[in-house]
Amino acid sequence: MSLRQRLLASLGLSFVALWLLVAGLMYLHLEQQVSRTLDQRLAASATMVAGLIARQPERLLASPPSPLLVTPQLEGVACQIRAENGDIILQTSGVDSSLLTRPELGFSTRQVGDSSWRLYTLRQHNHLITTADRMTERDNLTRSIILVMVVPFALALVGGLLVLWWGIQRGLKPLQELDTELNRRQPSNLEPVTLHQPPVELAPIIETLNNLFARVRRAVDREQRFASNAAHEFRTPLTGIKTHLEVARRVTGDRQQHALEQAGIGVARLQRVTDQLLMLARLEQGRDLEEEQSSATTTTIAEALEGLAGRERVEVQGANADCQVAAPATLLAVALRNLLENALKYSEPESPVLLSIERTATTTPAQIRFLVRDQGWTTGASSEPPSPANETGGHGLGLAIVETIASQFHGTLTASRNRWGGMDWVLSLPASTGG
């Protein structure tokens, strides 16, 4: 069941049930009021007759022995004036004699044949005055009054249900627009969702969807960079291995040994790329995250520099102040090592590479900032690192791993061009609460 149907069913049934309850209460109250009003009219008629007798009693004394029959203008009403000895002085015609025989004082109900009558008897000196209404006439009058009230009541109920349906349709229109907007999108369309004047209640959903689209776009871009980088990283050592093996087949002696050594170097590089791929896969699946979630910068930097080719070119600054980083030491060492290898690879062979560490307290929590700076190339535009506009794309699998580590531990990786023509890579990670 859709949300629209659920709202219509719940609100409509509640609306109908409430109105029917009100209608039932009104019916009971109206029936009592009509009965009370007609009883009061019956009593008023008897009182009026008593008043007339009190003004002219001689008319009753002068009446003939036989009762004077009076024909009423309306059927279903009766009146009788009886002497205290039981003689009928005055009576309406067309009424069964048993109806008004020995009536009780006050109100009473009497059944005569198939008809039920409502009686009221009043004692006036030596006379009993009885007025009567047939219940059928009362019921007809009650039904007529109720019918007059039911018709507008029913129209109001139907109109209310129509207004309720229209209100729900109009109120849920933004949801329908959002559904239409999402259904007509292509899978590759990750642009933010925009609705014309969305309601306040729908704004958080749209914001969440747009944030999700942004994360999916970043994930897709990262996967595309990963595929491109992986292809490039595999193609280079495979091409070198193939070339050196071809050379080894054609030559002998020292040249063959040199070609085989170069092929072995290519195999080692290919193994390094495979290890990087496995590391990235484990990170994407949340593995390697179960160790201690804090590490010291001095220990991590020492582990990152251990056995690093070109270690003599790396200048370390700010490592004396031992800071605690909210990330495992093994993964942080891998991230720093990848940044350093990247800087050493894409800079002049004799130029220095700077690694600096500083703790910034301008944010909450405090951040540990690792800066890796190289001076780039002075010649060979084809070997230059990518421009800052490309962010972290184009430098191989190492930077993809660094990006993944940063995102796993709520950090950031940014790149910018420096004044020497090289790149500044800044890895920021939250400081540990103990550091």
Side-chain angles (χ1 to χ4, degrees):
M1 182 181 291
S2 66
L3 179 61
R4 179 183 293 104
Q5 293 173 338
R6 189 177 302 172
L7 280 174
L8 283 173
S10 59
L11 293 180
L13 290 176
S14 301
F15 193 73
V16 171
L18 179 62
W19 277 61
L20 290 179
L21 176 62
V22 173
L25 294 176
M26 287 182 62
Y27 172 78
L28 295 176
H29 178 71
L30 180 62
E31 188 177 29
Q32 293 175 358
Q33 287 296 111
V34 170
S35 179
R36 185 181 298 110
T37 301
L38 293 178
D39 282 348
Q40 291 174 355
R41 188 193 67 169
L42 199 61
S45 300
T47 304
M48 181 183 63
V49 173
L52 292 177
I53 294 174
R55 286 178 177 272
Q56 297 179 339
E58 66 278 1
R59 289 181 175 269
L60 293 179
L61 298 175
S63 59
S66 60
L68 176 62
L69 301 179
V70 179
T71 303
Q73 294 182 353
L74 297 177
E75 295 183 1
V77 296
C79 182
Q80 183 188 75
I81 302 175
R82 182 188 294 268
E84 200 168 13
N85 58 7
D87 296 335
I88 298 176
I89 301 174
L90 188 64
Q91 177 179 302
T92 55
S93 63
V95 178
D96 193 325
S97 59
S98 62
L99 170 63
L100 304 176
T101 302
R102 297 175 182 175
E104 300 176 1
L105 292 178
F107 290 102
S108 61
T109 303
R110 182 170 295 183
Q111 186 74 26
V112 178
D114 296 333
S115 300
S116 181
W117 291 77
R118 182 71 167 168
L119 283 71
Y120 179 76
T121 302
L122 174 66
R123 180 184 294 276
Q124 175 70 16
H125 301 299
N126 298 325
H127 301 90
L128 294 176
I129 304 170
T130 301
T131 55
D133 278 343
R134 189 160 51 191
M135 297 299 294
T136 305
E137 306 298 330
R138 285 191 169 210
D139 294 340
N140 291 337
L141 179 60
T142 302
R143 282 194 294 268
S144 299
I145 296 175
I146 291 176
L147 181 62
V148 170
M149 296 189 63
V150 163
V151 171
F153 191 88
L155 291 177
L157 175 60
V158 174
L161 291 175
L162 291 176
V163 171
L164 178 65
W165 174 83
W166 177 81
I168 292 177
Q169 289 288 109
R170 183 175 179 84
L172 295 180
K173 186 177 180 181
L175 282 177
Q176 184 64 40
E177 293 178 356
L178 178 61
D179 179 70
T180 303
E181 169 70 17
L182 295 177
N183 282 333
R184 70 185 181 187
R185 280 187 170 222
Q186 297 296 326
S188 59
N189 185 3
L190 297 175
E191 295 298 323
V193 176
T194 56
L195 291 182
H196 178 65
Q197 295 181 348
V200 177
E201 293 79 6
L202 200 57
I205 299 177
I206 296 177
E207 183 179 359
T208 302
L209 280 174
N210 290 336
N211 291 336
L212 176 61
F213 286 152
R215 292 197 299 271
V216 172
R217 175 184 287 276
R218 289 195 295 268
V220 170
D221 292 342
R222 187 165 61 247
E223 293 296 330
Q224 290 175 348
R225 290 198 304 269
F226 166 75
S228 176
N229 292 333
H232 175 74
E233 294 284 352
F234 272 110
R235 183 169 58 247
T236 302
L238 285 175
T239 302
I241 293 171
K242 181 180 179 180
T243 301
H244 291 304
L245 290 178
E246 288 290 337
V247 171
R249 290 195 190 99
R250 297 177 183 179
V251 299
T252 59
D254 293 339
R255 294 181 61 188
Q256 186 182 52
Q257 286 299 118
H258 178 72
L260 291 175
E261 289 177 0
Q262 293 298 319
I265 293 174
V267 171
R269 183 179 177 186
L270 189 60
Q271 183 178 4
R272 168 74 173 165
V273 172
T274 304
D275 292 339
Q276 295 276 49
L277 284 173
L278 293 175
M279 170 70 75
L280 185 59
R282 289 195 298 269
L283 289 173
E284 292 289 350
Q285 296 174 8
R287 300 179 184 175
D288 291 343
L289 303 179
E290 298 179 355
E291 57 181 291
E292 182 65 32
Q293 298 291 302
S294 178
S295 58
T297 55
T298 52
T299 305
T300 303
I301 292 173
E303 184 177 347
L305 295 176
E306 183 179 357
L308 177 66
R311 163 69 181 85
E312 67 280 357
R313 294 172 52 193
V314 179
E315 299 179 1
V316 182
Q317 296 180 358
N320 294 330
D322 194 5
C323 302
Q324 294 291 325
V325 184
T330 303
L331 295 183
L332 182 56
V334 169
L336 292 178
R337 188 181 185 92
N338 285 344
L339 289 177
L340 291 171
E341 287 180 345
N342 184 77
L344 293 170
K345 180 179 179 181
Y346 289 92
S347 62
E348 291 281 358
E350 303 300 328
S351 64
V353 172
L354 175 65
L355 170 61
S356 68
I357 304 96
E358 64 176 348
R359 188 179 191 274
T360 61
T362 56
T363 59
T364 303
Q367 297 283 316
I368 306 299
R369 182 173 176 268
F370 300 90
L371 169 64
V372 177
R373 172 178 292 164
D374 65 77
Q375 298 183 6
W377 293 84
T378 57
T379 58
S382 62
S383 300
E384 290 186 4
S387 63
N390 289 331
E391 297 182 350
T392 59
H395 275 60
L397 295 175
L399 291 180
I401 292 177
V402 178
E403 276 191 295
T404 304
I405 293 174
S407 63
Q408 289 279 3
F409 297 97
H410 310 289
T412 58
L413 176 66
T414 58
S416 61
R417 187 74 79 168
N418 58 41
R419 62 180 180 176
W420 295 281
M423 297 293 293
D424 287 349
W425 296 91
V426 180
L427 173 63
S428 295
L429 290 169
S432 176
T433 54

